Amino acid sequence: FKLANLMTIMPSACDSLIDDIEDMVSSSDPTPLERQSARKSIMPRSRKKKEAVIQDEFVISLIPGTQTIWMKTWGCSHNNSDGEYMAGQLAASGYKMTDNPSDADLWVLNSCTVKNPAEDHFRNSIKKAQEQQKKVVLAGCVPQAQPRMDYLKGLSIIGVQQIDRVVEVVDEAVKGHSVRLLGQKKDGGRRLGGARLDLPKIRKNPLIEIISINTGCLNACTYCKTKHARGDLASYPIEELVERARQSFQEGVCEIWLTSEDTGAYGRDIGTDLPTLLWRLVEEIPDGAMLRLGMTNPPYILEHLEEMAKILNHPHVYAFLHVPVQSASDSVLMDMKREYCVDDFKKVVDFLKERVPGVTIATDLICGFPGETEKDFQETVDLVKLYRFPSLFINQFYPRPGTPAAKMEQVPAHMKKQRTKELSQLFHSYNPYDHKVGERQHVLVTEESFDAQYFVSHNKFYEQVLVPKKAEFKGKMIEVDIYEAGKHFLKGRPVEESKPFTPSIAKPLQKGEVSGLLKVNTHKYIYLILCSGRHYSAVYLHKL
């Protein structure tokens, strides 16, 4: 394999825009072993020693799989799960992942389209990468929903349902080509949930596994841009989700988060439902490990209230549910096309509070939606006064381009700001945890606090409990006495006579370690890669 042949796969002087990676990656491309062979056989021309070394380094630097990559993710836990999968595949392919953007040759930017500020951060990061002459690959909901935006022109994009092909896109971006994969995955005409669940991933926290149970939703909310990117509901089969949970516990995970755009709608497209999935999942949870449910909209949880109450009372499930109300005004909810009234929301909350003692209900509110009157806003204020939500996400309305709400008559900016401020002041006027002081609780310790002074744990109700930072507590279920309460946390003192309980059935992976790699004979693994036609880099094969 001569140097001349190697140079035919290097990027041309000007970037080319390719609609699909199949136009770029073909059977004539070098295999991973040929890549490695090429690197070994590169011979510099007969020049001065210094020039020869420079040329050799230049050629090698353009071989995909030898670069360092920085990944940045914005947004929800679903987006974070996608980011973990992309990082895992890139690391398994030989790329080096870094937490320092300055050290990286290429940036993977995984965007969120829910609010204007999140997209602004995304846009600014693209600009910064270009200023620093970094190669860029874009992912997430922003480029999926609006791939023709001016600031995205000429840049490589990996779609939200194509994250299993991130290695191919990054390979081409390294070579200077612009590739866009934005298609939807289908099976016999039926839309699939997205990329496979058994892909390699790097968990941001080795103790927590985030599992997307479905993608998209059944709603058509007038303010939502995520629908443009994630599309209609597509659920993963129960067996695949159970297997993913099982594998996670075998890798030392002690807490699982279920996520999607609407977990309550799970299964409606494949003839099943959320309670059926949850009862199967709890069978796999080891003693001491916990399951956290994701966000569900009111319409799709109403018919399952009896079963959901039983599940939330299960000792391996956090008594926690995120149910966004967005507004307590029926007229505003109608304009939002939320498909429920405020009484439906109250029915969900009241039922769960009665049947699941101590349950934590988190909710979302939007201030200043188009057409919101002072009376509408006051109804929302009254709802917060009634329930005194311990976890409340207050959002000032931002019109998202291309949504029906962006064309409606807007509430003046100063009024939106004032209502947001008023609601925030109300939220901070009460402390929901004062009555917890003096209680003895079991808590699961999973991470370090932001200020690095404590370990963070959660009790049965998913309330944050700060505990002493002792190495033996990490990943363990411990018993504590609550001695202090803040607005967003409790503080717990470990009970001396109580020993930490280890829920993990295996040793957790190290931070940055790739999950899901098959541990088989090296030669057999290389053979499988070559036969499958996957373009993994020679560097990774060399490491094996």
Side-chain angles (χ1 to χ4, degrees):
F1 192 73
K2 297 179 181 179
L3 178 60
N5 292 335
L6 176 65
M7 295 306 291
T8 62
I9 66 169
M10 295 301 171
S12 58
C14 39
D15 294 345
S16 56
L17 181 64
I18 300 166
D19 288 331
D20 198 290
I21 204 160
E22 276 78 8
D23 299 330
M24 177 57 57
V25 180
S26 67
S27 60
S28 63
D29 280 349
T31 66
L33 291 180
E34 288 173 332
R35 286 186 182 179
Q36 181 69 356
S37 176
R39 294 178 66 200
K40 291 180 178 178
S41 62
I42 292 174
M43 297 295 293
R45 295 180 182 178
S46 180
R47 297 180 180 176
K48 293 179 181 180
K49 186 175 181 180
K50 185 176 181 181
E51 293 178 350
V53 171
I54 291 174
Q55 180 185 353
D56 188 44
E57 290 176 351
F58 171 74
V59 173
I60 292 176
S61 71
L62 293 178
I63 297 176
T66 64
Q67 292 75 25
T68 299
I69 295 177
W70 176 66
M71 174 173 287
K72 173 67 176 177
T73 294
W74 293 266
C76 63
S77 54
H78 192 168
N79 232 32
N80 277 277
S81 178
D82 286 353
E84 291 181 348
Y85 274 123
M86 288 189 282
Q89 292 171 86
L90 291 167
S93 178
Y95 288 101
K96 179 183 177 183
M97 306 303 295
T98 181
D99 293 328
N100 188 344
S102 299
D103 293 341
D105 304 296
L106 182 145
W107 291 4
V108 178
L109 303 176
N110 189 20
S111 63
C112 171
T113 190
V114 172
K115 301 178 186 178
N116 287 28
E119 184 170 346
D120 291 341
H121 288 308
F122 175 62
R123 185 188 296 108
N124 292 336
S125 294
I126 294 173
K127 184 179 179 181
K128 186 179 294 185
Q130 293 169 332
E131 290 172 350
Q132 297 181 24
Q133 297 184 325
K134 307 287 187 182
K135 295 182 183 298
V136 184
V137 169
L138 309 178
C141 293
V142 173
Q144 178 74 56
Q146 291 183 296
R148 293 181 176 82
M149 293 287 286
D150 287 343
Y151 71 92
L152 304 179
K153 285 182 179 177
L155 299 176
S156 291
I157 295 174
I158 182 78
V160 294
Q161 284 205 305
Q162 301 289 336
I163 61 171
D164 55 338
R165 301 178 67 185
V166 66
V167 173
E168 301 169 55
V169 175
V170 169
D171 280 354
E172 296 308 318
V174 164
K175 293 186 281 188
H177 303 131
S178 179
V179 181
R180 297 188 168 199
L181 291 181
L182 295 165
Q184 294 186 350
K185 290 186 178 296
K186 295 184 178 181
D187 180 18
R190 184 179 69 84
R191 185 170 178 269
L192 299 178
R196 299 193 327 272
L197 295 173
D198 60 352
L199 295 169
K201 71 154 51 176
I202 296 178
R203 297 185 183 96
K204 187 176 180 180
N205 183 339
L207 297 173
I208 298 176
E209 166 71 3
I210 306 172
I211 303 178
S212 171
I213 63 174
N214 55 266
T215 187
C217 68
L218 295 173
N219 297 339
C221 301
T222 56
Y223 57 83
C224 182
K225 195 69 178 289
T226 305
K227 175 80 172 190
H228 296 197
R230 298 283 184 179
D232 292 326
L233 179 69
S235 304
Y236 286 98
I238 287 179
E239 290 305 323
E240 292 182 18
L241 293 165
V242 170
E243 181 56 36
R244 182 67 204 181
R246 189 179 295 130
Q247 178 195 323
S248 301
F249 290 125
Q250 290 169 351
E251 293 177 336
V253 162
C254 62
E255 185 170 290
I256 284 182
W257 297 356
L258 300 186
T259 184
S260 74
E261 282 64 59
D262 187 350
T263 57
Y266 171 80
R268 287 173 174 252
D269 56 321
I270 58 174
T272 186
D273 55 39
L274 181 62
T276 302
L277 168 65
L278 295 177
W279 286 124
R280 287 290 309 279
L281 285 174
V282 295
E283 294 174 3
E284 304 294 331
I285 304 175
D287 286 342
M290 297 297 288
L291 175 71
R292 191 194 82 174
L293 305 186
M295 185 273 288
T296 175
N297 285 311
Y300 308 113
I301 204 69
L302 275 168
E303 65 189 76
H304 301 309
L305 286 178
E306 288 277 0
E307 287 299 295
M308 290 303 299
K310 295 176 184 177
I311 290 165
L312 292 174
N313 276 312
H314 193 283
H316 293 162
V317 180
Y318 286 119
F320 167 88
L321 200 61
H322 180 190
V323 189
V325 64
Q326 305 300 7
S327 173
S329 164
D330 285 342
S331 63
V332 172
L333 290 174
M334 186 177 297
D335 289 341
M336 291 179 172
K337 286 193 175 179
R338 289 291 286 169
E339 300 182 1
Y340 60 88
C341 62
V342 71
D343 282 345
D344 292 331
F345 173 80
K346 288 180 177 180
K347 181 179 179 180
V348 171
V349 176
D350 293 342
F351 186 93
L352 293 179
K353 279 182 170 291
E354 179 186 347
R355 302 296 181 91
V356 188
V359 66
T360 296
I361 301 293
T363 195
D364 299 359
L365 292 168
I366 295 176
C367 293
F369 187 81
E372 181 187 67
T373 65
E374 192 60 40
K375 179 178 179 295
D376 296 328
F377 174 68
Q378 192 57 49
E379 288 176 336
T380 299
V381 170
D382 291 341
L383 186 76
V384 176
K385 288 179 178 178
L386 174 63
Y387 289 111
R388 295 167 65 90
F389 300 103
S391 183
L392 182 61
F393 303 95
I394 302 169
N395 305 289
Q396 181 178 312
F397 175 73
Y398 290 98
R400 304 299 290 130
T403 62
K407 301 174 184 178
M408 298 177 182
E409 184 176 352
Q410 304 296 306
V411 172
H414 73 278
M415 199 173 292
K416 288 192 292 186
K417 290 180 181 178
Q418 179 57 37
R419 290 175 183 175
T420 303
K421 181 180 178 180
E422 184 178 335
L423 208 52
S424 297
Q425 288 174 338
L426 171 59
F427 174 60
H428 285 94
S429 69
Y430 59 87
N431 190 337
Y433 302 131
D434 281 345
H435 66 288
K436 300 275 184 174
V437 174
E439 290 186 1
R440 180 164 289 189
Q441 302 178 346
H442 284 90
V443 298
L444 180 59
V445 184
T446 55
E447 56 194 311
E448 189 179 86
S449 63
F450 182 75
D451 62 6
Q453 299 299 306
Y454 300 91
F455 275 156
V456 176
S457 66
H458 292 90
N459 59 22
K460 164 66 177 173
F461 310 104
Y462 203 68
E463 295 160 343
Q464 182 173 273
V465 181
L466 303 180
V467 299
K469 192 176 175 183
K470 294 184 178 181
E472 63 267 27
F473 291 164
K474 192 75 172 288
K476 308 290 177 63
M477 182 76 77
I478 66 173
E479 192 173 21
V480 299
D481 288 324
I482 303 300
Y483 67 91
E484 184 180 331
K487 176 62 181 175
H488 301 286
F489 64 88
L490 298 162
K491 285 185 180 179
R493 185 180 295 110
V495 177
E496 289 185 7
E497 62 270 21
S498 178
K499 293 183 179 180
F501 177 78
T502 304
S504 303
I505 60 176
K507 186 178 179 181
L509 301 179
Q510 295 297 310
K511 188 172 179 62
E513 189 175 353
V514 181
S515 156
L517 289 184
L518 294 175
K519 290 178 171 57
V520 297
N521 179 274
T522 299
H523 299 294
K524 190 181 295 185
Y525 188 56
I526 293 174
Y527 174 77
L528 288 171
I529 292 174
L530 295 177
C531 287
S532 69
R534 298 299 301 274
H535 289 257
Y536 286 96
S537 74
V539 176
Y540 184 50
L541 297 181
H542 179 64
K543 286 181 179 178
L544 283 173

